[in-house]
Amino acid sequence: MSTLTPGTAVHWTDPSGAQQGPTPANEIVGRIERGELSPETPLWWPEAPGWTPANQAPGLAEHLQSVAPPTQAAPGGGHAIDALMAGLSDQELDDEFLALIDRSWDMYKETEKAATIDETIVGGIITALVDSGFVLIDIGTGLPPGLATAPPAGAPAAPAAGSPVGAAPSGAEAGPQHSLRFEVPTTGARVTVELQHLTPGLAASKVLNHRANLVVGYGERLGNAGQIGQALRSEVASAFVATPEPGTVSFDADISSGYVYARIELFLEPDLYVDDKLAVDHDLLRRHIAALVHTMRTFVHTRFGS
Amino acid sequence: MGLLDALNTYAHKSELRESKDEIVVGQIVQGLSHQGWPCFQVVAHSDRQQMGFKTPGDPILSSVFLVVDRRTGSGLVSQALGSKTTVAIAAEMRNKVTDPDDLAAMWRADLANLFKIPVHGEVRVNHQLNKVIARTHHLLDLDHYVQGTMVDTSQLIPWLVDQIGNLREHLRPHKKG
């Protein structure tokens, strides 16, 4: 069988079996290399003994040894999957998979923290005050603004609507309001806490940082109706303060149980107290709550001489 | 003692009597926090409080949830009947990856649970994709822990930790990795 030269005109059959050509041999080689024809494409030329696969034709075989057969879809996409994973060991692929899952869990926990940091602070406040000898006597979870409900019976009123201290920053929807009331069983002294997360959700907390509104009150039980009336008049006066700023102290009374309260409203940075694993810095939280309670108690004693 | 003072005293006692479940909730939050389990969920409604705790460092559990649900009425009814309260405890375990075999187990467990009659103290295991949750519930009398101004939950917290330990053992076979 004679050796083919680049210019030898050959006849060939296409994948449908139709005869084509004559075509220069070098053009057939180019089409095979581009994957347009199979290396086993049947060829015939005048000196050939019969139809010969291109990859066995003298003069072409050495050119076509490195050409892979045309890609053919295997069940399950075998060749494509092999190509996708080329150069990567099973161990490397497993490691990458686990890293992606781990990172997803990290992001999930970040979202979880953004959604629950206010309740974590509530848990920290309960722990700090119960550690100190208070008992929790009332707890309530209000609905977000717009669906708000009344605070627990006997608890001081919620911050005035529209208050800059109590309002969520522009663009953020505040979370539910948590109301707590504690009492020292032996003396009856009370502490009230209202907490509202102003930047719930991951986006708000990323842009604005976590921010909460905190109202802490200290109350004592008075038997003197005149003093309770005085506190109630102060409460009415407080209602006329349209835009209280941080540091404003107000007085309040619960006539049914005879308590008067001094209360202060301020912003709180939850991130100061709660780490990424939701562990609480109880010492710092207790220190800050103690400072607020101490000052409110001074106001009650100064105002009502109890 | 004036009339107002007497009324105030009555109102104060009534408040404390109706606060037994809240008092116990406060003690639970404090007690489990000292176990190293920070409270990250507090949802309170009248007579029903739900708490969630993270369990960092636990080889099996990711979170624990408790629901304190006061079953008896308030005021004089409660005074007469005591303070029966259901405490539901759920321990949650998370697997990082769920595969089809987990889903098959989930369906089998859910089907089996359909035919179980709720009994105090029984443990149920539920699969929810990446989570597997073991639950139990018990009936407690809050009067054992709160009497007037006396509060003593020194037995309650170890008991709760034991219950959670029992749930942990039910979850252990399902832990992967």
Side-chain angles (χ1 to χ4, degrees):
Chain A
M1 187 162 37
S2 63
T3 299
L4 287 175
T5 64
T8 305
V10 298
H11 295 266
W12 52 283
T13 55
D14 65 19
S16 68
Q19 188 175 322
Q20 307 285 347
T23 305
N26 60 346
E27 189 175 317
I28 296 295
V29 170
R31 295 183 70 171
I32 291 171
E33 287 174 341
R34 290 194 297 274
E36 296 169 13
L37 293 176
S38 163
E40 293 165 352
T41 300
L43 303 181
W44 182 87
W45 61 104
E47 293 81 10
W51 287 93
T52 305
N55 56 6
Q56 294 175 23
L60 293 193
E62 55 272 25
H63 291 290
L64 299 177
Q65 277 172 354
S66 60
V67 176
T71 304
Q72 195 172 15
H79 294 301
I81 295 296
D82 290 343
L84 179 66
M85 298 174 188
L88 295 165
S89 68
D90 285 353
Q91 186 61 51
E92 285 175 312
L93 291 167
D94 287 346
D95 290 346
E96 293 292 353
F97 173 77
L98 291 175
L100 284 168
I101 296 294
D102 283 344
R103 180 61 190 137
S104 294
W105 277 107
D106 289 343
M107 294 164 76
Y108 178 89
K109 287 173 183 170
E110 198 176 19
T111 306
E112 187 179 45
K113 180 188 174 185
T116 61
I117 193 168
D118 54 332
E119 293 171 65
T120 308
I121 294 271
V122 167
I125 291 171
I126 292 172
T127 301
L129 288 170
V130 174
D131 274 347
S132 307
F134 286 84
V135 293
L136 177 67
I137 61 168
D138 213 343
I139 181 168
T141 308
L143 295 172
L147 301 170
T149 55
S163 150
V165 176
S170 177
E173 287 288 334
Q177 179 168 297
H178 306 280
S179 304
L180 306 166
R181 200 153 41 126
F182 300 87
E183 181 170 320
V184 181
T186 50
T187 66
R190 286 183 174 178
V191 168
T192 63
V193 177
E194 289 157 33
L195 182 84
Q196 186 170 31
H197 194 189
L198 300 178
T199 55
L202 190 59
S205 63
K206 286 279 186 190
V207 175
L208 301 166
N209 292 327
H210 284 292
R211 182 176 291 193
N213 175 235
L214 178 72
V215 183
V216 171
Y218 173 82
E220 289 189 2
R221 191 162 160 247
L222 302 177
N224 186 319
Q227 289 176 315
I228 298 171
Q230 184 187 349
L232 285 174
R233 283 194 297 277
S234 298
E235 184 193 357
V236 172
S238 298
F240 287 101
V241 181
T243 56
E245 293 172 344
T248 302
V249 175
S250 61
F251 290 96
D252 198 356
D254 174 13
I255 199 163
S256 65
S257 56
Y259 273 83
V260 292
Y261 296 88
R263 307 187 318 138
I264 189 160
E265 188 172 347
L266 64 158
F267 282 127
L268 196 72
E269 295 174 272
D271 272 327
L272 281 181
Y273 312 98
V274 180
D275 71 11
D276 288 343
K277 292 182 177 174
L278 297 179
V280 179
D281 186 341
H282 290 288
D283 288 340
L284 183 63
L285 195 53
R286 185 189 65 80
R287 184 183 177 88
H288 288 178
I289 295 290
L292 294 168
V293 170
H294 168 75
T295 308
M296 292 305 101
R297 186 176 62 167
T298 303
F299 268 93
V300 167
H301 288 179
T302 305
R303 185 66 170 259
F304 302 105
S306 56
Chain B
M1 179 185 286
L3 180 61
L4 179 62
D5 202 12
L7 288 173
N8 286 345
T9 301
Y10 176 79
H12 182 230
K13 281 185 178 173
S14 171
E15 275 186 322
L16 282 183
R17 188 169 59 246
E18 293 179 13
S19 295
K20 283 180 182 173
D21 46 346
E22 285 91 346
I23 291 172
V24 167
V25 163
Q27 302 295 319
I28 291 173
V29 169
Q30 181 231 17
L32 295 186
S33 290
H34 286 305
Q35 296 287 321
W37 298 346
C39 176
F40 75 103
Q41 184 186 75
V42 183
V43 181
H45 304 291
S46 92
D47 293 342
R48 188 175 190 277
Q49 288 87 29
Q50 179 172 331
M51 297 153 277
F53 299 87
K54 287 289 174 193
T55 54
D58 192 290
I60 305 295
L61 305 180
S62 59
S63 307
V64 171
F65 299 90
L66 285 100
V67 177
V68 174
D69 193 351
R70 196 164 181 175
R71 289 297 184 178
T72 53
S74 59
L76 294 175
V77 176
S78 180
Q79 231 178 341
L81 295 178
S83 303
K84 297 290 189 298
T85 297
T86 300
V87 175
I89 309 166
E92 177 192 283
M93 182 197 76
R94 281 179 179 168
N95 285 318
K96 284 185 177 176
V97 180
T98 304
D99 67 27
D101 287 345
D102 298 326
L103 294 178
M106 173 181 76
W107 291 324
R108 278 197 302 273
D110 285 352
L111 189 63
N113 283 338
L114 283 178
F115 299 101
K116 286 186 179 175
I117 299 167
V119 176
H120 290 307
E122 180 196 48
V123 175
R124 286 187 182 206
V125 176
N126 286 90
H127 296 239
Q128 293 179 5
L129 298 175
N130 289 66
K131 297 179 192 172
V132 186
I133 299 170
R135 310 170 192 275
T136 187
H137 60 279
H138 295 264
L139 197 62
L140 298 184
D141 189 344
L142 299 183
D143 288 342
H144 290 160
Y145 309 107
V146 184
Q147 281 288 348
T149 58
M150 297 298 294
V151 179
D152 180 6
T153 52
S154 57
Q155 301 299 311
L156 177 62
I157 304 303
W159 178 81
L160 277 175
V161 172
D162 280 350
Q163 296 304 313
I164 293 164
N166 183 33
L167 296 179
R168 182 189 291 111
E169 293 313 308
H170 278 81
L171 292 173
R172 192 180 294 275
H174 301 279
K175 185 66 178 176
K176 292 180 172 180

